[in-house]
Amino acid sequence: MESTARWSLVTALAPIAWGTSYFVTQRYLPADHPLYGAVFRALPAGILLLALSRRLPHGALWWKALVLGTLNMGAFFALVYIAAQLLPVSIASTVMATAPVVMMLLAWPLLAERPQILPVVGAGIGIAGVCVMLLTNATGIDPLGVLASVAAMTMSSAGFILTKKWCPDVDVLALTSWQLIAGGAVLLPVAVAVEGAPPVLNGSAALGFIYLSGVTTALAFTAWFKGLRHLSAGTVGLIGLLNPVTGVLLGTLVAGDTLTARQGAGLVLVFAGIVLGQPGVTRAVRARRARRSMAEAGVAAPPEHPRPRQQA
């Protein structure tokens, strides 16, 4: 259980970092270059991780890295960039909050991870918490932004599940670097064709991209794929609900927003949903049910913490 808790904490680094990306994108980055924005985020992070791992793909890993990099990085970054520019953070975050359910549904046929009752209930509570926390009086809802957000959520959920299925034994640092480089390489010619010359970055924009590439990409995706290696897809998806929580708390701490009672209630629901879906809670409930069944059958249940044998 301690190992599971540790990997949950490692995984949590990713959505916490991602929760800051909307703020940075809207505040500091150029709004009219979403494709270059995705390239500037993916390629430097991938090159950095490749320098650290010093491993290249081989065999089928070449095309798998290309597919996964397109789903998880290239197309995802561009779509998120578009959503961040067209939608209020509340709407974009609420759409992305449905990812745990999508990941659970995809993990069932692709990974044979049958959805468990408590994680499903936890996902429902968590999504409800995000809605309570964010869906107040949002205005300016652009249909294109909603479509971009839904597409980003769906493609990344599928990509994460395929990463877990296709690359169970590949070094995580190397795997992350290949996906980032592949995603950036796929987007670069599209960015040149659609957006022309790359944007000229001022100091704040350059620092914003350095932060996005280093923290919310290289570090965050490495932690996320580590979590997928050791936890079920449903558990990892639930931990992802920390993304909108971070956005709300960041607005309170940095932008001077007031944390309302409604938002506080939403935060409580999100945390309750995440905790309810953790493997330790599921195991504890199963053990309690097993002891109850044994007691009803008249069979003595083993102690929860058996005493060590005494040596003669």
Side-chain angles (χ1 to χ4, degrees):
M1 185 176 296
E2 292 180 0
S3 177
T4 300
R6 181 172 68 251
W7 287 117
S8 294
L9 291 175
V10 170
T11 307
L13 293 174
I16 290 173
W18 292 336
T20 66
S21 62
Y22 285 108
F23 176 83
V24 173
T25 298
Q26 289 186 324
R27 183 67 65 92
Y28 300 111
L29 303 187
D32 53 349
H33 289 82
L35 295 176
Y36 274 115
V39 172
F40 291 166
R41 180 177 177 182
L43 278 181
I47 293 170
L48 172 63
L49 293 181
L50 183 63
L52 294 175
S53 66
R54 292 184 290 181
R55 295 186 183 183
L56 292 174
H58 54 86
L61 288 175
W62 281 102
W63 69 262
K64 290 179 179 179
L66 179 62
V67 172
L68 296 176
T70 301
L71 291 174
N72 293 335
M73 314 297 182
F76 175 74
F77 289 160
L79 290 167
V80 166
Y81 198 99
I82 293 171
Q85 300 296 345
L86 297 179
L87 291 178
V89 173
S90 59
I91 301 299
S93 298
T94 300
V95 172
M96 295 301 296
T98 60
V101 175
V102 176
M103 289 180 66
M104 289 181 193
L105 293 176
L106 291 175
W108 192 355
L110 295 178
L111 300 175
E113 291 182 2
R114 188 181 182 90
Q116 302 296 316
I117 295 297
L118 287 181
V120 171
V121 173
I125 294 174
I127 293 171
V130 173
C131 293
V132 170
M133 183 172 57
L134 298 179
L135 292 183
T136 52
N137 295 318
T139 58
I141 300 177
D142 190 316
L144 180 59
V146 173
L147 181 62
S149 193
V150 170
M153 180 274 297
T154 305
M155 293 177 67
S156 62
S157 296
F160 296 149
I161 299 301
L162 290 176
T163 300
K164 188 176 177 69
K165 179 180 178 64
W166 286 349
C167 310
D169 302 316
V170 180
D171 177 73
V172 171
L173 206 63
L175 178 62
T176 307
S177 73
W178 303 339
Q179 293 185 61
L180 287 167
I181 292 173
V186 166
L187 275 176
L188 182 57
V190 181
V192 173
V194 175
E195 297 177 356
V200 177
L201 304 179
N202 58 27
S204 60
L207 289 176
F209 276 120
I210 290 173
Y211 173 79
L212 286 184
S213 186
V215 177
T216 73
T217 304
L219 174 63
F221 274 98
T222 300
W224 186 255
F225 289 131
K226 276 284 188 182
L228 276 171
R229 183 68 54 86
H230 296 277
L231 302 171
S232 71
T235 298
V236 173
L238 271 173
I239 295 173
L241 290 175
L242 290 173
N243 185 332
V245 169
T246 303
V248 169
L249 295 179
L250 185 67
T252 302
L253 297 174
V254 177
D257 298 339
T258 301
L259 185 66
T260 65
R262 178 185 179 125
Q263 289 176 320
L267 289 172
V268 171
L269 285 174
V270 172
F271 283 121
I274 293 173
V275 171
L276 188 62
Q278 294 305 298
V281 176
T282 300
R283 285 196 296 266
V285 171
R286 285 178 178 173
R288 187 177 295 110
R289 288 177 178 173
R291 288 193 298 271
R292 184 182 304 168
S293 298
M294 295 177 70
E296 292 174 352
V299 179
E304 295 186 20
H305 304 286
R307 296 178 182 176
R309 269 187 203 174
Q310 293 182 351
Q311 297 181 350

